[in-house]
């Protein structure tokens, strides 16, 4: 009896689960420590993407006019826009703000061809007395086509620096989201191949969206470098001009000729969407910017 009273009480049940035997090896510990150290480093070093800087650093103006005589069949060899369009009708002035901080080279080249309109050198390249060669209703119009000045084309500007922004992804940050967006056309550029093959070729075509809606098909393909600040009514007037539109039969023949590699197919398309009334840039130049400012809304 005495011996039973001296026995120790039975152990109480444990309130915790037993810790299982660890199966960690030196390799797993090394991988775990590496992952723990690398993830914080990765996230701490990542910097947020900088938004585009649409500050208007420069302003230019363009005067647009209608010329009723340019396509007359009785033209002489020495006739140019300046001689044929002396009685032209003014459509008005458009003021364009340029994003010099975002795409400085594109802006500089565009501004150079606006300023050279007042140059005393008659052989300088300029947008003055050059035509709007394509109008796509409800979308945009194209200007600045290179070629022969007597035909209303821009003289090839071989003196301009090469535009390296055409291969810079940051230059394509802005979109064609409304009317009045000004951009450098890369996918829509229709300069002649013989001009593009020149080692000194510089693209100076430009397009302006006419609205009323956006043009998402132009995004990520063309460099937006400016916006229309004043004169959207002039842009609307240009967009409403009648253009040459081929019939369905002509389009089918053209597609067939292109399929068989006939070069005449591409040549025939050069007059498609051409305004039936000549619209041209009768004057252009630069305006002073007292203080750079942000645009009212991002294009």
């Amino acid at each position: 009896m005495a011996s039973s009273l001296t026995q120790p009480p039975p152990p109480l049940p444990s309130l915790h689960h037993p810790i299982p035997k660890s199966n960690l090896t030196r390799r797993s510990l090394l991988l775990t420590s590496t992952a723990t150290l690398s993830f914080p480093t990765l996230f701490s070093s990542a910097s947020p993407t900088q938004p585009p800087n649409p500050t208007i650093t420069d302003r230019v103006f363009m005067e647009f006019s209608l010329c009723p005589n340019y396509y007359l069949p009785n033209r002489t060899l020495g006739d140019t826009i300046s001689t044929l369009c002396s009685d032209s009708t003014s459509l008005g002035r458009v003021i364009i703000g340029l994003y010099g901080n975002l795409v400085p080279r594109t802006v500089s080249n565009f501004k150079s061809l606006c300023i050279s309109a007042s140059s005393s050198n008659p052989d300088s390249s300029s947008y003055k007395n050059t035509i709007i060669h394509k109008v796509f209703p409800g979308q945009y119009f194209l200007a600045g086509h290179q070629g022969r000045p007597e035909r209303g084309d821009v003289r090839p500007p071989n003196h301009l620096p090469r535009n390296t922004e055409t291969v810079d992804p940051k230059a394509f940050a802005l979109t064609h989201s409304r009317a009045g967006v000004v951009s450098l056309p890369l996918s829509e550029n229709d300069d002649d191949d013989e001009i593009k093959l020149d080692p000194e070729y510089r693209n100076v075509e430009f397009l302006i969206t006419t609205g009323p809606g956006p043009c998402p098909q132009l995004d990520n393909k063309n460099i937006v470098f400016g916006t229309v600040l004043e004169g959207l009514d002039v842009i609307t007037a240009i967009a409403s001009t009648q253009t040459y539109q081929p019939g369905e039969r002509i389009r089918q023949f053209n597609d067939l000729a292109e399929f068989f590699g006939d070069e005449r197919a591409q040549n025939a398309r050069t007059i498609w969407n051409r305004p039936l009334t000549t619209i041209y840039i009768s004057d252009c130049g630069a305006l002073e910017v007292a203080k750079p400012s942000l645009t009212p809304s991002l294009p």
Side-chain angles (χ1 to χ4, degrees):
M1 178 71 71
S3 61
S4 62
L5 293 176
T6 60
Q7 291 180 354
L12 295 175
S14 175
L15 299 178
H16 303 282
H17 296 288
I19 299 176
K21 184 179 180 180
S22 175
N23 293 324
L24 293 177
T25 63
R26 181 182 178 186
R27 176 180 174 83
S28 60
L29 285 173
L30 182 60
L31 292 175
T32 304
S33 61
T34 304
T36 306
L37 292 174
S38 61
F39 283 125
T41 305
L42 176 64
F43 287 109
S44 62
S45 61
S47 58
T49 304
Q50 294 295 328
N53 181 10
T55 302
I56 295 176
T57 58
D58 304 87
R59 291 192 304 169
V60 298
F61 73 90
M62 286 187 169
E63 301 276 356
F64 292 92
S65 300
L66 291 175
C67 176
N69 305 322
Y70 186 67
Y71 291 118
L72 291 180
N74 57 349
R75 292 180 54 178
T76 62
L77 185 61
D79 283 335
T80 62
I81 283 186
S82 59
T83 59
L84 288 172
C85 302
S86 57
D87 58 345
S88 60
T89 302
S90 175
L91 290 176
R93 170 177 284 203
V94 173
I95 296 178
I96 300 173
L98 306 175
Y99 306 140
N101 290 338
L102 181 65
V103 280
R105 177 55 60 200
T106 304
V107 166
S108 176
N109 287 355
F110 178 79
K111 188 177 178 181
S112 293
L113 268 72
C114 292
I115 296 175
S116 59
S118 58
S119 173
S120 58
N121 182 8
D123 294 330
S124 63
S125 298
S126 173
Y127 290 126
K128 185 176 180 179
N129 291 329
T130 61
I131 63 173
I132 307 300
H133 61 279
K134 292 286 181 69
V135 176
F136 297 87
Q139 300 180 64
Y140 60 94
F141 66 78
L142 280 168
H145 183 270
Q146 295 184 41
R148 295 162 53 187
E150 64 271 16
R151 295 173 51 185
D153 294 332
V154 172
R155 188 185 306 276
N158 298 332
H159 64 283
L160 293 179
R162 188 173 299 278
N163 189 351
T164 58
E165 291 164 355
T166 58
V167 293
D168 184 357
K170 294 184 294 184
F172 300 84
L174 300 181
T175 60
H176 304 72
S177 60
R178 57 183 174 83
V181 174
V182 187
S183 70
L184 179 72
L186 303 178
S187 60
E188 280 68 32
N189 178 284
D190 57 2
D191 284 332
D192 295 339
D193 289 340
E194 60 182 15
I195 293 179
K196 290 181 180 179
L197 291 175
D198 187 335
E200 299 301 320
Y201 171 73
R202 304 291 185 266
N203 180 13
V204 294
E205 275 196 21
F206 67 93
L207 67 81
I208 301 181
T209 56
T210 59
C215 293
Q217 75 276 15
L218 302 177
D219 296 342
N220 303 315
K221 301 176 183 177
N222 310 283
I223 299 176
V224 174
F225 65 89
T227 183
V228 172
L229 301 176
E230 299 179 26
L232 273 177
D233 56 328
V234 179
I235 302 301
T236 302
I238 295 174
S240 63
T241 304
Q242 289 188 339
T243 60
Y244 171 73
Q245 299 295 331
E248 185 61 29
R249 187 182 181 91
I250 294 178
R251 290 181 182 272
Q252 292 176 355
F253 275 121
N254 188 275
D255 292 340
L256 183 62
E258 184 181 31
F259 176 78
F260 285 108
D262 192 334
E263 295 181 357
R264 292 174 295 180
Q266 181 64 31
N267 294 334
R269 277 201 290 268
T270 58
I271 64 172
W272 295 8
N273 295 99
R274 187 180 72 179
L276 298 180
T277 303
T278 302
I279 309 170
Y280 74 105
I281 302 171
S282 52
D283 197 10
C284 54
L287 299 172
E288 293 296 329
V289 177
K291 183 179 180 180
S293 61
L294 295 178
T295 55
S297 59
L298 283 175

